[in-house]
Amino acid sequence: MCGILALLDRTGPVAEAAALAALAGMAHRGPDGDGSRIDWDGRLFLGHRRLGIFDPGAGGHQPMPDPETGNWLIFNGAIYNYLELRVELEAAGHRFTSHSDTEVLLIAWRHWGSSALQRFNGMWAFVLFDAKDDKLYVSRDRLGVKPLFWADTGKAVVFGSECTALAQAADVPLIPDPVAVHDFLTLGLTDHRSNSFFQGVLCLPPGSIWSVDRAGNISRNRFHDWSTTPAPATPLKDLIVDATALRLRADVPSGLLLSGGLDSTIVAWAAGQGDSGKPDQILTYGYREKGPHDETDRAERTARYLGLSERLARVAVDPTPSRALLDDVIAHQQQPFNTPSIVASFRLYREMRAHNCTVALTGEGADELFAGYTRRYIPLALRDALKRGEFLSAWKLLRSPHGRLLARRLIWEAPTAAIRWIMRKRRPHIRSIAGRFWHDGRHWFAERVSKQRLPLDAALQADPVTDLLPQPLRYADANGMASGVEVRSPFLDWRVVATALALAPTEKVSYQGGKQILRKLFTGDLPPEIISAPKSHGLGMAEQFAVGAIDLSDLFDHPPIIASDFLDLSQLKAEIAVHPNDPTLWWPVCLLLWLRWLERETAR
């Protein structure tokens, strides 16, 4: 929901025209209105692009003032429990002039100060000008569901919802970060560090509350830490139902993405436990010529089981995305992404907007929270069982569908130099990396190896908070905002996350597969084939294997100027010809597409 931009110039009045142009560049994030404000003797710019969800009329316009305190707020996100907070604040004597969650945030700050953040159940990135303290307060939600990038050029400090907005407003150079590129090309990692893919463009850490004074001095604090957050006493199933009901709150139509898997089916079931009548539309995704990766038949059976058939619509596409579509996705993501399968959600959110839905419910986050990635977690569990001498458990895990991947997992126990040698010899995407860049990345590679050696329980703690979940959060936000759709997932409710982090690994993954606790909790509520099925392919699986079908001739004939710094283009072309269905070759291909976008973007 929305796009925000805050610019503080340390030396003099802000370049307002540049700031307004940067704000206009985020119109897709907020097609329903815009506003800006200048303060601090012309050195502070606050700008907002609005996507109206709560009180979509004039009552939710931003920047929003608090007339009693003189505070001003720009806010991206949603405070789902704003109705309960409003009742509490009204009981304390406060009065409201709108029905928006933005005003609730402002008055909650007036009443509780920064401790109000502990009371919020939602997703947010905001900048609040506090008149009494004469400071800006900058915050991002506990999990980092909503993005907030920032940069300090020396002359200026800038915060914004998109990297290109920072570049345009404060002349921040968009130069590829070699460490980010290395991690992406070797392991497909993104969003696992506080840095973006651009040097000097950083991500405000989730759970932060920073303050900025008139001189641009930054004080960095946190309001939340997962390691000290206890799990709620409420049972997990009840939490998921309540989290879904909260995320169905909207003054606009909402939709739901229904695949053939467990996660979205749980959300669909939970949505039916209330009396809101939402979601208004349900979409399922498949292909014009049904094949092994098409899950629409299962989704249709699930919709019938849940009594939702009348709201279900099927989207059928060609599994090979066009170059124009890929270029469009990259332009909105603004950073590389590790699978072309996210083209599916890009298409779906566009279709959802065409159905007049502004809010989309998904099952995002369940795989990372409840060990749904069995190809990752079963080999980890097997390795750990062997190390502990638990041979019966190890035997059961070895006989599971993904136990055979143990050899791949054990490679990370070898010396780092040996791992690098094996990967360079055996992996097509590694062979596509330029020789000098591969050599220079040996220092960064050592840190990545240490992450791969984490025991299962440590990986299950790190994946939701730092290592894996930030990837799909960024992908979903940018894809949804490309069509002016706000993406919400009940599994990302902070109470659900805290409960998941407190679970023992055996409650999540066993030789029977991942997400064991979810399968147990929802047996009897969902179709048996959903409960017992292994992890579904998920949206966009066919696109993962379409790398060889993408027309890249122009990029090989006339590559981006700096492509050879990172890639051996002749080797990449040869690898694609020999391994057209290898999904890891998407990583160098995506980098090549991104470098072309970046070259054009910086030339404007």
Side-chain angles (χ1 to χ4, degrees):
M1 169 182 167
C2 309
I4 63 174
L5 178 67
L7 172 62
L8 172 62
D9 195 308
R10 292 186 175 100
T11 63
V14 296
E16 185 177 4
L20 289 171
L23 194 62
M26 295 191 289
H28 52 277
R29 298 187 69 92
D32 299 330
D34 66 283
S36 62
R37 175 177 172 79
I38 300 287
D39 215 311
W40 278 351
D41 301 320
R43 295 189 302 109
L44 174 64
F45 175 93
L46 299 177
H48 186 262
R49 291 291 320 195
R50 187 179 183 217
L51 178 65
I53 304 292
F54 298 125
D55 196 356
H61 181 76
Q62 297 183 45
M64 182 177 284
D66 179 349
E68 184 171 313
T69 63
N71 296 345
W72 287 85
L73 174 66
I74 51 173
F75 163 50
N76 171 29
I79 307 300
Y80 301 122
N81 64 334
Y82 77 106
L83 294 178
E84 291 79 5
L85 292 172
R86 178 174 175 140
V87 169
E88 192 173 353
L89 290 165
E90 285 178 330
H94 298 285
R95 296 294 173 260
F96 292 80
T97 61
S98 76
H99 298 282
S100 74
D101 59 333
T102 307
E103 188 180 16
V104 171
L105 195 164
L106 258 178
I107 294 182
W109 186 276
R110 178 205 301 175
H111 187 74
W112 291 302
S114 61
S115 63
L117 302 179
Q118 298 284 357
R119 299 171 178 264
F120 295 161
N121 186 334
M123 54 181 183
W124 67 83
F126 71 71
V127 179
L128 187 147
F129 168 69
D130 188 301
K132 180 181 177 182
D133 291 350
D134 199 33
K135 290 180 180 179
L136 297 179
Y137 286 92
V138 186
S139 181
R140 193 173 177 211
D141 64 75
R142 298 172 179 88
L143 207 58
V145 180
K146 301 308 289 183
L148 192 58
F149 300 98
W150 75 281
D152 188 340
T153 67
K155 180 178 183 291
V157 181
V158 59
F159 299 88
S161 300
E162 296 185 354
C163 298
T164 51
L166 273 62
Q168 193 165 6
D171 200 25
V172 176
L174 296 181
I175 302 171
D177 182 326
V179 181
V181 172
H182 167 270
D183 290 356
F184 180 69
L185 288 178
T186 53
L187 293 172
L189 295 174
T190 70
D191 305 273
H192 58 296
R193 302 160 62 239
S194 61
N195 305 60
S196 72
F197 270 80
F198 304 105
Q199 295 181 36
V201 178
L202 309 175
C203 307
L204 195 80
S208 291
I209 176 67
W210 291 7
S211 64
V212 186
D213 65 17
R214 281 181 178 248
N217 299 311
I218 301 175
S219 177
R220 308 179 188 195
N221 295 292
R222 300 187 57 81
F223 70 89
H224 179 82
D225 188 335
W226 289 110
S227 65
T228 58
T229 301
T234 306
L236 176 59
K237 187 174 182 179
D238 294 341
L239 286 177
I240 292 173
V241 170
D242 186 61
T244 304
L246 286 176
R247 281 154 183 78
L248 285 170
R249 286 181 172 175
D251 297 332
V252 293
S254 62
L256 184 146
L257 306 187
L258 184 63
S259 70
L262 179 65
D263 310 338
S264 62
T265 302
I266 289 174
V267 175
W269 174 86
Q273 302 311 297
D275 55 4
S276 68
K278 292 179 177 287
D280 303 278
Q281 181 74 59
I282 300 173
L283 295 183
T284 186
Y285 183 86
Y287 303 100
R288 289 171 188 153
E289 295 183 8
K290 289 187 178 182
H293 303 304
D294 189 299
E295 298 184 344
T296 55
D297 287 345
R298 191 195 294 182
E300 289 167 358
R301 291 194 297 271
T302 298
R304 285 196 298 271
Y305 185 95
L306 297 176
L308 299 171
S309 295
E310 292 183 357
R311 305 184 203 177
L312 183 69
R314 180 175 180 266
V315 177
V317 303
D318 185 328
T320 302
S322 68
R323 270 292 303 281
L325 178 58
L326 286 173
D327 289 343
D328 201 13
V329 177
I330 285 173
H332 282 91
Q333 288 290 330
Q334 299 189 0
Q335 300 183 74
F337 46 95
N338 66 0
T339 171
S341 66
I342 75 166
V343 170
S345 66
F346 187 89
R347 286 164 155 164
L348 276 170
Y349 297 135
R350 186 170 59 190
E351 187 71 19
M352 191 161 283
R353 187 71 185 203
H355 281 78
N356 197 37
C357 291
T358 312
V359 169
L361 260 68
T362 74
E364 206 75 72
D367 282 322
E368 293 80 7
L369 290 168
F370 298 101
Y373 295 125
T374 47
R375 290 174 61 88
R376 172 176 173 82
Y377 296 118
I378 285 182
L380 283 178
L382 175 52
R383 179 202 62 187
D384 292 356
L386 288 172
K387 286 184 174 181
R388 292 191 299 265
E390 298 172 356
F391 299 116
L392 178 60
S393 296
W395 175 247
K396 290 180 179 179
L397 289 163
L398 187 61
R399 298 184 66 187
S400 73
H402 298 293
R404 58 185 174 81
L405 296 175
L406 176 62
R408 280 191 185 180
R409 177 52 53 188
L410 289 179
I411 190 178
W412 296 105
E413 306 300 316
T416 301
I419 298 172
R420 283 173 56 81
W421 184 86
I422 293 170
M423 292 181 70
R424 187 69 165 175
K425 288 289 184 181
R426 297 183 60 86
R427 303 297 293 167
H429 72 282
I430 296 292
R431 292 194 294 266
S432 301
I433 299 174
R436 173 56 61 182
F437 188 64
W438 173 249
H439 179 266
D440 291 345
R442 63 193 185 281
H443 306 297
W444 308 319
F445 191 79
E447 183 181 347
R448 302 283 73 81
V449 169
S450 65
K451 282 282 190 178
Q452 297 298 321
R453 291 172 176 167
L454 288 176
L456 176 64
D457 56 350
L460 289 172
Q461 293 292 311
D463 284 357
V465 179
T466 58
D467 288 353
L468 291 189
L469 187 54
Q471 293 181 6
L473 293 184
R474 190 250 292 181
Y475 302 166
D477 173 81
N479 277 0
M481 289 292 97
S483 297
V485 172
E486 178 173 289
V487 181
R488 301 174 173 180
S489 173
F491 291 109
L492 302 181
D493 188 295
W494 75 267
R495 301 166 301 168
V496 175
V497 176
T499 300
L501 291 175
L503 293 172
T506 52
E507 295 183 88
K508 300 177 185 180
V509 64
S510 75
Y511 69 92
Q512 296 173 302
K515 294 186 276 200
Q516 288 301 304
I517 189 168
L518 296 182
R519 298 179 194 280
K520 178 181 178 182
L521 287 177
F522 291 95
T523 294
D525 298 313
L526 306 183
E529 68 170 327
I530 296 293
I531 294 294
S532 61
K535 175 175 169 51
S536 71
H537 294 139
L539 294 174
M541 179 57 68
E543 284 85 338
Q544 286 200 39
F545 302 101
V547 175
I550 300 170
D551 182 8
L552 302 170
S553 57
D554 62 313
L555 289 170
F556 287 124
D557 293 341
H558 305 285
I561 293 173
I562 64 171
S564 60
D565 291 353
F566 307 114
L567 298 171
D568 182 334
L569 294 177
S570 60
Q571 185 67 36
L572 174 58
K573 187 175 181 178
E575 297 292 353
I576 293 173
V578 176
H579 307 284
N581 298 321
D582 187 330
T584 63
L585 282 172
W586 168 254
W587 304 340
V589 166
C590 184
L591 186 78
L592 192 58
L593 291 166
W594 176 69
L595 290 174
R596 171 53 50 85
W597 165 81
L598 181 58
E599 191 173 73
R600 291 171 175 168
E601 182 70 24
T602 54
R604 289 201 297 173

